[in-house]
């Protein structure tokens, strides 16, 4: 199955190149496949995108956030604070970022320009002025963050920060482009 998906993605997955990452054609779900020798037996994971954006207010209704926490987040959006969402794999970081993006669009100027940078398309926004950028074989997130500076962003959103792009993102946010959102893998906010 992994090799079939590799063919659909116009690449190969074998003992020399045992890791396959990508988006499933037609569905857009995130696919990660691994073959021996890095694992004993072939293994894969499919992560399906959420079909709807959960509004921030629903987090309050479901008692995931307190009303005070939601107000702090709204203040952060209005005052263009940078927001870092942390959590483990599958903890809901992307779903929560979609809620924040929804608030940014609802509370912001209609003409604000959002730059959304991702490895795999997962974030959803209804912004009218959005430039969605994706990594490619020779274009990593670090390069995308540097390139987006010339595209007149009002806010820079990075789906997941996990490498050298963190420094470039901090520089971008600190040089006239505040109000961004990104996520990191961490057990808690302090981590």
């Amino acid at each position: 199955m992994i090799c079939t998906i590799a063919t659909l993605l116009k690449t190969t997955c074998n003992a020399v190149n045992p890791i396959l990452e990508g988006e499933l054609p037609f569905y857009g779900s995130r696919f990660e496949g691994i073959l021996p020798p890095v694992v004993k037996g072939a293994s894969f994971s499919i992560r399906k995108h959420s079909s709807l954006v959960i509004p921030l207010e629903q987090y309050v209704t479901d008692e995931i956030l307190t009303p005070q926490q939601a107000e702090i987040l709204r203040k952060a959006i209005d005052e263009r604070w940078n927001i870092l969402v942390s959590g483990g794999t599958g903890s809901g970081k992307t779903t929560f970022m979609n809620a924040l993006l929804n608030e940014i669009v609802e509370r912001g100027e209609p003409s604000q320009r959002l730059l959304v940078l991702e490895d795999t398309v997962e974030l959803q926004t209804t912004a009218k002025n959005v430039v969605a950028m994706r990594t490619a074989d020779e274009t990593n997130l670090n390069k995308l963050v540097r390139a987006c500076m010339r595209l007149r962003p009002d806010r820079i959103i990075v789906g997941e920060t996990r490498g050298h792009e963190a420094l470039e993102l901090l520089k971008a946010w600190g040089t006239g482009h505040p109000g961004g959102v990104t996520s990191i893998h961490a057990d808690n906010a302090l981590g």
Side-chain angles (χ1 to χ4, degrees), residues 33-91:
I34 305 174
L35 295 175
V38 295
V39 291
K40 187 174 182 178
S43 180
F44 70 89
S45 171
I46 298 173
R47 294 190 52 191
K48 184 178 179 235
H49 297 215
S50 177
S51 58
L52 66 128
V53 174
I54 300 168
L56 198 57
E57 198 54 44
Q58 189 65 46
Y59 281 86
V60 175
T61 302
D62 293 344
E63 297 181 348
I64 297 167
L65 289 177
T66 67
Q68 295 81 11
Q69 289 169 325
E71 281 311 306
I72 290 170
L73 289 167
R74 288 184 180 107
K75 178 180 179 180
I77 289 167
D78 292 344
E79 295 184 10
R80 298 178 58 86
W81 298 353
N82 297 315
I83 300 173
L84 178 65
V85 177
S86 67
T89 300
S91 63

Side-chain angles (χ1 to χ4, degrees), residues 144-157:
L144 289 184
V145 171
R146 278 188 264 134
C148 82
M149 298 297 290
R150 294 186 177 102
L151 296 174
R152 199 194 55 76
D154 289 310
R155 293 182 189 253
I156 302 169
I157 315 298

Side-chain angles (χ1 to χ4, degrees), residues 20-139:
L20 177 66
E21 298 176 323
E23 294 173 29
L24 291 176
F26 314 113
Y27 302 104
S29 297
R30 196 159 137 188
F31 182 87
E32 184 82 20
I34 305 174
L35 295 175
V38 295
V39 291
K40 187 174 182 178
S43 180
F44 70 89
S45 171
I46 298 173
R47 294 190 52 191
K48 184 178 179 235
H49 297 215
S50 177
S51 58
L52 66 128
V53 174
I54 300 168
L56 198 57
E57 198 54 44
Q58 189 65 46
Y59 281 86
V60 175
T61 302
D62 293 344
E63 297 181 348
I64 297 167
L65 289 177
T66 67
Q68 295 81 11
Q69 289 169 325
E71 281 311 306
I72 290 170
L73 289 167
R74 288 184 180 107
K75 178 180 179 180
I77 289 167
D78 292 344
E79 295 184 10
R80 298 178 58 86
W81 298 353
N82 297 315
I83 300 173
L84 178 65
V85 177
S86 67
T89 300
S91 63
K93 296 182 300 296
T94 302
T95 303
F96 189 64
M97 284 182 65
N98 282 330
L100 294 173
L101 283 173
N102 186 57
E103 284 289 320
I104 287 171
V105 172
E106 286 185 6
R107 302 176 77 79
E109 295 292 323
S111 63
Q112 73 179 331
R113 185 176 186 131
L114 303 182
L115 268 70
V116 179
L117 289 58
E118 299 180 89
D119 283 330
T120 306
V121 176
E122 294 180 302
L123 295 175
Q124 301 173 42
T125 181
T126 57
K128 301 291 184 231
N129 189 357
V130 62
V131 176
M133 300 171 72
R134 299 185 56 191
T135 60
D137 289 340
E138 298 300 319
T139 309

